[in-house]
Amino acid sequence: MTTVNGIYETLDDRFRTGRCTLGDRHLERLYEGCRWAEGPLYVPAWRQVIWSDIPNDRLMRWDEATGTVGVFRAPAGNSNGNTVDRQGRLISCEQGNRRVTRTEHDGRVTVLADRYDGKRLNSPNDAVVRSDGTIWFSDPDFGIVSDYEGHRAESEIGACNVYRLDPVTGEIRIAAGGFEGPNGVVFSPDERRLYVSDSRAARVSVHEVRDDGSLSSGKVFAEGKEGVHYDNIRFDDEGRLWVAALDDGVHCYAPDGTLIGRLLIPETVSNIAFGGPKNNRMFITATTSLYSLVMSVTGAPRI
């Protein structure tokens, strides 16, 4: 085990030979002042990073050209995960409002999903858009267990699922169930598999996507060692999976599920996202801060 510049920790030689340690020699803090930061999203057309400050009930934005930070939206429904659809519109998981929304190009907010089978969702957490336009999102109960990140309430559904949403027809259906606390969701680059991090179970599972849009029961891709739990997950363009591992920094897994390296971060890591003009800048939300690291690896191709 070797550490470079106090940031890159090599656990398997593939982390070094895969050129994962040749990026920035220091971690850049872009903003400090959140209560609990999550959901970073780089929007190329805006050259901005949008992220969530959940307990403060606001969406924040950092401008790449000027380095300035401001409030994008407040209140924001205790938003958590953010992504964009095929038309470049912002998709947000609003924990407090228990819904998934889309911000239109004129600024209007459209509710895409707030119920399943007539029952209110728990607290949507993270979302990913497939190339066919469908939106897949996790729905743990994190936002209803207390008033800190949402509003305390009983679950109407009684389970924590991953859903598939057709934004054209409005159809919402369970893609996979049986999770303790589903969190990050991401498709493999070929979209044949969906990876899901289950924070409470401390594992990442991988599910085959069937032709009808349903998911297989899945198998374990990675499990956290004692005391290590996972939040969101992102692929680079060589098939490595990068995982926000809370107090254990950012993990990097080879395609076979081997933990090959870590990024050491001074705060508890919640979420990560690739961005920048070359898609090789990792943006990291960690407790109170937004960090960035220009890397020698590149994120998976953007939609």
Side-chain angles (χ1 to χ4, degrees), residues 119-172:
K119 301 174 183 178
R120 294 190 71 187
L121 298 171
N122 295 325
S123 55
N125 185 284
D126 193 26
V128 61
V129 178
R130 204 172 184 221
S131 60
D132 61 4
T134 54
I135 300 168
W136 304 61
F137 67 93
S138 58
D139 186 42
D141 59 4
F142 304 153
I144 60 175
V145 295
S146 77
D147 291 317
Y148 188 68
E149 293 189 1
H151 306 286
R152 185 170 56 182
E154 294 295 324
S155 172
E156 295 183 16
I157 293 173
C160 298
N161 302 313
V162 171
Y163 293 93
R164 176 187 182 274
L165 167 66
D166 186 326
V168 177
T169 65
E171 179 193 28
I172 176 174

Side-chain angles (χ1 to χ4, degrees), residues 187-193 195 235-237 239 300-301:
F187 281 106
S188 61
D190 61 9
E191 295 190 330
R192 294 178 181 176
R193 297 172 300 280
Y195 289 71
F235 274 105
D236 67 22
D237 67 352

Side-chain angles (χ1 to χ4, degrees), residues 196-212:
V196 181
S197 71
D198 191 326
S199 294
R200 290 196 180 109
R203 71 171 65 99
V204 175
S205 57
V206 55
H207 306 257
E208 299 295 327
V209 182
R210 301 188 180 104
D211 292 340
D212 64 358

Side-chain angles (χ1 to χ4, degrees), residues 13 61 63 77 80 99 116-117 163 184:
D13 200 47
R61 63 179 164 195
D63 185 81
N80 193 324
R99 66 189 192 180
Y116 171 73
D117 196 25
Y163 293 93

Side-chain angles (χ1 to χ4, degrees), residues 8 28 71 89 102 105 159 217 262 280 283:
Y8 310 91
E28 185 177 5
V71 175
R89 296 169 294 188
R102 181 178 66 215
H105 291 304
S217 58
R262 295 194 305 152
N280 68 332
F283 295 95

